[in-house]
Amino acid sequence: RPLTTQRNPRPGASQGGTMTTPLKLCSANLARIGEAVAVPAFERSAVRPGIVHLGVGGFHRSHQAVYTGRTLCLDSSWGICGVGLTRGDKKMEQTLTQQDHLYTLVTKKAKETSVEVIGSICDYIFAGEGKNTEKVLARLEDEQTRIASLTVTEKAYMLNDTTGDLDDTHPLIQHDLQSPNAPKTPVGFIVEGLRRRMANGHKPFTVLSCDNLPLNGHLTKKIVLQFANRVGGDVGLDQWIDENGAFPNTMVDRITPATTPEDITLVQRDFAIDDAWPVCAEDYTQWVIEDKFTQGRPRWEDAGALIVEDVAPYEHMKLRLLNGSHSALAYLSYLEGHRKVHNAMEDDDVYAFVSEYMEVVKATVPPPSGVSLDAYTHVLRERFSNPNVSDQISRLAEDGSKKMVSFVKDALNELIYEHPDANVDVVAAAVAGWIRYSFAEDLEGKPIEIKDPQAGTLREYAEISKRKGSGPFIGRFIGNQFAASGRFRKRVDHYLDQLEKQGARAVMQSATTGL
């Protein structure tokens, strides 16, 4: 079955007349909802959780949970038990519980919208505020759990930005190191779950990161082993995990904007379904998975996932061209006055700037087998321009201290040192936009809320750039080698000056043409 299914609105939904009362989304109403909308084709009462997923947000619900739902007709032992670790996850628990863990996926093409009910989540545990910790650990300890997966965003991996190692100075990591049997962090839960498996003589579960991080499996394994060494090195916990565990690399892709009140109304009005928290996404979706699991996995390939030996080529393509372009677009577009991505892409200067950024960075991306980078970047621009899944530019601008390192740094390094004739102006302009955005006010002096784990430090170094140029900021957040590159640093300084004197549009025009 295709990943999106077009059905007609349920009889009684609004079709130019009066809308009848929408049906509450729950198991009891599933048959009636299924008269017009695609619903799970498997028997949900037979589903058992084989996956514990930390961080059930919009992306997980539009991506991994959808792929997994496609496989449950073949094997019902791969249901998902969701886990929420933050206070904000309480709402997700309440919503899913009230709806028997069902939700609607709203797939938005440029000119067409379809709805499908997803039923792969069969349980949800809220472990924020110190609640239900033991319940989560018991689920991880259970032999039925064969995969622990994560979509917790970059900052929840608790990395030291300078060393790339586990940040053992972070208060939450310090708590978990001192009280490993009562963890609060994702790595703390995973390691304690694995420790219990080792103590009971059980095989370890596979740890599957689905976050946008370079070589996310390698990174996750690194911090898990470092944490395990600190809390269980004396009994060989880290060695046991290293020798018996699995941390596959993955590449994930599906634009999934935050759900709005208008989205909830759309599902009620056009499909007569009362879903308190639908998830909306574009029709494009991609999942590339390294085939390395300790105790099997769902047949995700039957749902369209690519199972490969090496994820790196796909990952480089996506992180550098999609995520990097998002970051390049975000700051200058915001400073130009745009607030939604599709509106920014309607601006000829933004479109040309993003296109040139992709063209330049393409030189650092070896194409995966059978993939045309020209076709890929063309599709990216179409996706960015889709008005029905337009993301907030302010969201793309969040966590720049993490994203610019993950998505831009390595490509920039290759451009400077391996492609000396490349037009690094587009990257320099993107960095200048990030620095100027970090002033926490736009070009008209209106305040900007900087959402970043290092917001205070970003603003501090942005202020320093007013007196000493971009060097200290670049050195602190991207790397000293880039601050030492006179060619690159001078272009960033040039665009910072041009931003103040002529504005963001002039910077994008200048960087695109190289003039």
Side-chain angles (χ1 to χ4, degrees), residues 61 91 113 139 160 189 204 305 330 368 381 415 428 437-438 457 496:
R61 295 195 298 145
K91 180 182 175 183
T113 298
R139 183 74 78 179
N160 181 301
F189 273 99
R381 290 189 289 271
L415 288 172
Y437 184 92
S438 298
T457 309
L496 276 172

Side-chain angles (χ1 to χ4, degrees), residues 348-398:
D348 289 343
D349 291 320
V350 175
Y351 190 94
F353 175 76
V354 171
S355 297
E356 179 64 12
Y357 181 91
M358 291 179 180
E359 188 65 28
V360 169
V361 172
K362 228 167 37 175
T364 73
V365 180
S369 176
V371 175
S372 163
L373 293 183
D374 288 339
Y376 181 74
T377 53
H378 174 75
V379 170
L380 286 183
R381 290 189 289 271
E382 287 187 337
R383 294 168 64 195
F384 291 1
S385 302
N386 184 347
N388 278 333
V389 290
S390 186
D391 214 343
Q392 294 291 330
I393 288 175
S394 59
R395 193 188 74 82
L396 300 186
E398 292 177 10

Side-chain angles (χ1 to χ4, degrees), residues 216-254:
N216 51 16
H218 292 170
L219 183 149
T220 306
K221 181 177 182 179
K222 179 180 179 179
I223 62 169
V224 165
L225 291 180
Q226 289 177 346
F227 190 99
N229 176 263
R230 294 286 298 275
V231 299
D234 57 332
V235 295
L237 176 59
D238 53 332
Q239 182 178 352
W240 180 80
I241 295 172
D242 189 23
E243 294 176 354
N244 299 282
F247 298 80
N249 292 305
T250 68
M251 188 276 274
V252 297
D253 190 6
R254 193 172 201 182

Side-chain angles (χ1 to χ4, degrees), residues 457-496:
T457 309
L458 281 170
R459 188 167 184 178
E460 175 189 350
Y461 276 80
E463 288 292 326
I464 291 173
S465 72
K466 295 178 182 179
R467 305 187 306 273
K468 297 184 178 181
S470 63
F473 187 104
I474 294 171
R476 174 64 178 79
F477 294 107
I478 305 180
N480 289 325
Q481 70 270 37
F482 305 111
S485 170
R487 170 190 170 208
F488 180 72
R489 188 186 67 252
K490 288 177 181 178
R491 295 312 292 166
V492 176
D493 287 338
H494 167 75
Y495 289 125
L496 276 172

